[in-house]
Amino acid sequence: MKRGKKYVEALKLVDQTKVYSAKEALDLACKTSTTKFDASIDVAFRLNLDPRKAEQNIRGAIVLPNGTGKTRKVLVLCRGAKQAEAQNAGADYVGDSEYIQKINQGWFDFDVIVATPDMMGELGRLGRVLGPKGLMPNPKTGTVTMDVAKAVAEIKNGKVEYRPDKVGNIQMTIGKASFGAVKLAQNLRAVYDTLMRVRPSTVKGAYIKNVSVASTMGPGVKLNPDTIVEATK
């Protein structure tokens, strides 16, 4: 694949044979951002997981202490008094069956759906549409709940979901290049602590194989996971 001049120049700053400390890696990820806009910083954990085994297909959500720097549109599907709760919490769209019909007709002007349990029977019929897009609400990620106000507030404040791909990789955004290494390190620590806490008991040997961070369209930078905790001290 042919790379642009900016990417090639940024790549020269990264020693591909080196595993950096978390702080060094985050500094480099910010420094090697090649975009004119405020690039996102993403982390990728390669884990010793077999997602085909139910107990190793870990899934959940994390509220990053410094948010992601992104504004996410939230659709809340609920009825009655819950609609006022969702609106007061800052949801972008609130309703019930009419929004399910809109989605069925191809409307997707939202990033996250929060639904009360009573809406899931109707919403479940759109599983083939929402599932592949990662938009189907799930109790494990806190998006199927009666506490819609809390769910909306957490999403607006930087809640991110995690789930391994077919080979056990977990990737997510942990902030923007403008955050700087300190705030990014705090967000990375939150992700690391969560993944360590949900480590399946059936995993044998090393759990984290490797970790890398990168800015949008920037080169990947490998980091030593054992340095993540100390990067926040």
Side-chain angles (χ1 to χ4, degrees):
M1 180 187 296
K2 188 176 181 180
R3 299 288 191 177
K5 185 184 294 185
K6 289 184 178 179
Y7 180 92
V8 173
E9 289 301 313
L11 189 60
K12 291 178 181 178
L13 299 175
V14 181
D15 184 346
Q16 297 291 298
T17 66
K18 181 178 177 179
V19 178
Y20 293 87
S21 71
K23 186 179 184 307
E24 289 175 321
L26 292 168
D27 274 329
L28 264 178
C30 296
K31 191 179 295 183
T32 54
S33 172
T34 61
T35 61
K36 292 182 179 179
F37 55 86
D38 190 7
S40 294
I41 302 295
D42 298 329
V43 63
F45 283 83
R46 186 181 176 205
L47 302 176
N48 181 20
L49 293 176
D50 183 354
R52 293 173 299 179
K53 298 178 180 178
E55 72 278 6
Q56 293 191 18
N57 191 16
I58 59 177
R59 184 176 184 181
I62 309 161
V63 178
L64 300 179
N66 300 302
T68 62
K70 293 181 178 180
T71 300
R72 305 177 80 193
K73 290 185 180 180
V74 182
L75 163 64
V76 178
L77 299 174
C78 58
R79 295 188 171 96
K82 290 295 174 183
Q83 293 192 353
E85 288 181 28
Q87 288 170 344
N88 291 336
D92 298 276
Y93 307 104
V94 181
D96 45 57
S97 301
E98 75 275 18
Y99 276 103
I100 294 176
Q101 186 175 352
K102 284 185 68 173
I103 294 170
N104 196 36
Q105 294 171 346
W107 177 76
F108 291 99
D109 187 28
F110 56 88
D111 302 301
V112 185
I113 300 177
V114 173
T116 49
D118 59 300
M119 295 299 303
M120 290 307 295
E122 193 174 348
L123 186 61
R125 298 170 194 161
L126 298 182
R128 290 184 180 179
V129 176
L130 296 174
K133 295 178 180 293
L135 293 172
M136 180 61 76
N138 190 295
K140 291 183 178 180
T141 60
T143 47
V144 177
T145 178
M146 289 301 292
D147 195 346
V148 294
K150 178 183 177 183
V152 171
E154 288 182 341
I155 293 166
K156 291 292 186 179
N157 288 328
K159 186 176 185 178
V160 292
E161 297 181 9
Y162 63 87
R163 187 178 189 179
D165 61 18
K166 293 180 180 179
V167 293
N169 298 320
I170 287 181
Q171 302 180 54
M172 68 183 72
T173 296
I174 56 170
K176 295 284 189 177
S178 62
F179 281 20
V182 174
K183 287 186 175 181
L184 289 171
Q186 292 168 349
N187 282 354
L188 177 59
R189 169 78 182 272
V191 176
Y192 173 79
D193 286 348
T194 299
L195 294 181
M196 293 302 291
R197 188 175 67 249
V198 300
R199 172 179 174 157
S201 59
T202 52
V203 170
K204 305 300 180 185
Y207 174 46
I208 299 178
K209 293 182 176 179
N210 59 58
V211 186
S212 64
V213 290
S215 64
T216 305
M217 299 173 65
V221 185
K222 296 177 184 177
L223 66 85
N224 180 352
D226 294 336
T227 66
I228 293 175
V229 172
E230 70 181 47
T232 60
K233 294 180 178 178

